[in-house]
Amino acid sequence: MKSTFPLFPDSASTLSGHVDALFIVWSLVSLFFTVLIAGLIVVLMSRYRRRHPEEVGADERAALWLEILWSAVPLAIMLAMFAWGTKVFFELYRPPADAVEYTAIGKQWMWKVQHPEGQSEINALHIPVGQSVKIKLASEDVIHSFYIPAFRVKQDAVPGRYTSLWFNATKPGVYHLFCAEYCGTEHSRMIGSVIVMEPRDYESWMAGGVGGKSMVASGSDLFTSLACATCHRPSPGVTQRGPNLEGVFGSQVKLADGRAVVADDNYVRESILNPLAKVVAGYDPVMPTFQGQVSEEQLTQLIAYVRSLGPTGAAPAGGTGGTPAAGTPAASGVTNPSSAEKDATSPLNTAGQTQGAAQKPPQK
Ligand code: CUA
């Protein structure tokens, strides 16, 4: 029992040491001042107690320098800790560009994990050691919280939107995965394991799995079966009802009401479930909602597919509004891309937002 409940959790990610250092220094600083202040209270209380009823206190203005000192020093300490904490916070919540994206969907009461290559698992996450991993989180019902103590990462999975966390595991092993948000009667059983493997072992684990289609391939299939392609992939000579999605992901999109938004995970998600919320400039609000027709998993697959269509690298806001069908690579004949072809050009990672040129859809 005691081996499963160590006093301090394993430290097994590149950032866990940073979090621990912050935590330990903060604790020591707090301890130091707690002891100092409590000690001073006792000493000063006895030393400066009133000795007879007529005694009058000294003029406290004489100790102005003391007031300034004990205000300024704590202020400096707090600001230093704030700066340090902010630095660690940004390290923890800004995934590096080469992070590989996995999806974890919380549901009463399990974690459903999907690998970019298509494997899925329940309450388990197999990852290679030394690889930056981004976990995109969603929830099917209530708020859950994805928590891996050994990596010092925790993030809520909130229904209706995407959140994420990232880590880079440094030691092979099996680590606890918890739900850290009370989410109903079986919350305490919503636990699992993160299995960190040597890259070689990871490869063979992947090969031995049931496999399945990659996220992008599944998304591409859905794009066809839900008939998204009818409006979102222009055929030459046909009036386009919806914007061409090539190059949209990660770019600025001009809306009919004059606003401009960045087409990220949450924007694409909203556009599928609540299409009228943000209508792209130049198009009529005719898209039906797909609320209830796609599961959380399917949504993440569709988004992976849209992301694989990549940013064009052209002028950010231009191509998507105003004159549909003009000035986009749409007419270039990418009307029925094979999933395999898409996969080859679509590393499923966050690099899509920064390395646009590398992800252009193939042009023929
Ligand atoms: Cu899910 Cu607690």
Side-chain angles (χ1 to χ4, degrees), residues 297-310:
E297 271 111 332
Q298 290 173 325
L299 268 173
T300 59
Q301 290 161 355
L302 275 169
I303 293 169
Y305 172 66
V306 172
R307 184 195 301 159
S308 77
L309 299 175

Side-chain angles (χ1 to χ4, degrees), residues 79-162:
L79 286 178
M81 298 306 285
F82 170 71
W84 186 7
T86 306
K87 182 172 164 286
V88 173
F89 179 86
F90 279 116
E91 284 174 344
L92 276 175
Y93 286 94
R94 279 197 181 148
D98 66 342
V100 176
E101 187 177 295
Y102 294 63
T103 305
I105 296 170
K107 176 192 155 114
Q108 288 170 321
W109 287 273
M110 65 176 84
W111 290 107
K112 296 191 286 186
V113 172
Q114 219 172 353
H115 290 239
E117 297 85 355
Q119 276 84 355
S120 56
E121 7 183 13
I122 301 276
N123 292 337
L125 170 61
H126 288 74
I127 49 158
V129 71
Q131 164 75 59
S132 293
V133 168
K134 179 185 174 189
I135 310 283
K136 183 159 103 178
L137 294 164
S139 169
E140 282 186 16
D141 34 48
V142 298
I143 299 179
H144 304 275
S145 183
F146 194 86
Y147 180 33
I148 309 171
F151 301 162
R152 311 288 189 274
V153 287
K154 175 155 71 172
Q155 174 66 53
D156 281 2
V158 183
R161 72 160 105 139
Y162 295 116

Side-chain angles (χ1 to χ4, degrees), residues 144 179 181 183 187 190:
H144 304 275
C179 175
E181 180 77 51
C183 55
H187 154 73
M190 191 166 162

Side-chain angles (χ1 to χ4, degrees), residues 99-311:
V100 176
E101 187 177 295
Y102 294 63
T103 305
I105 296 170
K107 176 192 155 114
Q108 288 170 321
W109 287 273
M110 65 176 84
W111 290 107
K112 296 191 286 186
V113 172
Q114 219 172 353
H115 290 239
E117 297 85 355
Q119 276 84 355
S120 56
E121 7 183 13
I122 301 276
N123 292 337
L125 170 61
H126 288 74
I127 49 158
V129 71
Q131 164 75 59
S132 293
V133 168
K134 179 185 174 189
I135 310 283
K136 183 159 103 178
L137 294 164
S139 169
E140 282 186 16
D141 34 48
V142 298
I143 299 179
H144 304 275
S145 183
F146 194 86
Y147 180 33
I148 309 171
F151 301 162
R152 311 288 189 274
V153 287
K154 175 155 71 172
Q155 174 66 53
D156 281 2
V158 183
R161 72 160 105 139
Y162 295 116
T163 55
S164 71
L165 57 79
W166 84 275
F167 53 80
N168 187 326
T170 52
K171 285 193 300 193
V174 178
Y175 304 100
H176 287 294
L177 163 65
F178 292 108
C179 175
E181 180 77 51
Y182 180 68
C183 55
T185 50
E186 286 177 44
H187 154 73
S188 62
R189 290 165 139 189
M190 191 166 162
I191 52 178
S193 304
V194 179
I195 301 101
V196 180
M197 313 169 94
E198 294 289 355
R200 195 171 4 94
D201 299 337
Y202 181 70
E203 288 305 321
S204 53
W205 178 82
M206 292 287 281
V210 280
K213 279 186 185 145
S214 76
M215 295 277 283
V216 176
S218 305
S220 174
D221 289 354
L222 281 166
F223 200 77
T224 309
S225 64
L226 294 168
C228 312
T230 326
C231 299
H232 285 291
R233 184 164 293 131
S235 331
V238 176
T239 317
Q240 206 185 347
R241 271 180 293 177
N244 171 26
L245 298 182
E246 278 168 15
V248 165
F249 199 91
S251 70
Q252 283 249 323
V253 176
K254 260 197 171 141
L255 302 183
D257 60 9
R259 284 179 298 164
V261 293
V262 173
D264 58 6
D265 282 349
N266 280 309
Y267 168 78
V268 179
R269 176 198 174 88
E270 182 184 55
S271 297
I272 295 168
L273 298 179
N274 186 11
L276 304 191
K278 297 194 175 80
V279 177
V280 175
Y283 294 92
D284 291 328
V286 292
M287 178 170 159
T289 174
F290 286 81
Q291 186 94 50
Q293 294 182 54
V294 282
S295 67
E296 284 294 337
E297 271 111 332
Q298 290 173 325
L299 268 173
T300 59
Q301 290 161 355
L302 275 169
I303 293 169
Y305 172 66
V306 172
R307 184 195 301 159
S308 77
L309 299 175

Side-chain angles (χ1 to χ4, degrees), residues 29 32-33 36 65-81:
V29 168
F32 173 78
F33 281 101
L36 179 73
W65 63 271
L66 190 62
E67 296 264 2
I68 292 173
L69 186 75
W70 74 38
S71 300
V73 170
L75 178 68
I77 293 173
M78 291 296 167
L79 286 178
M81 298 306 285

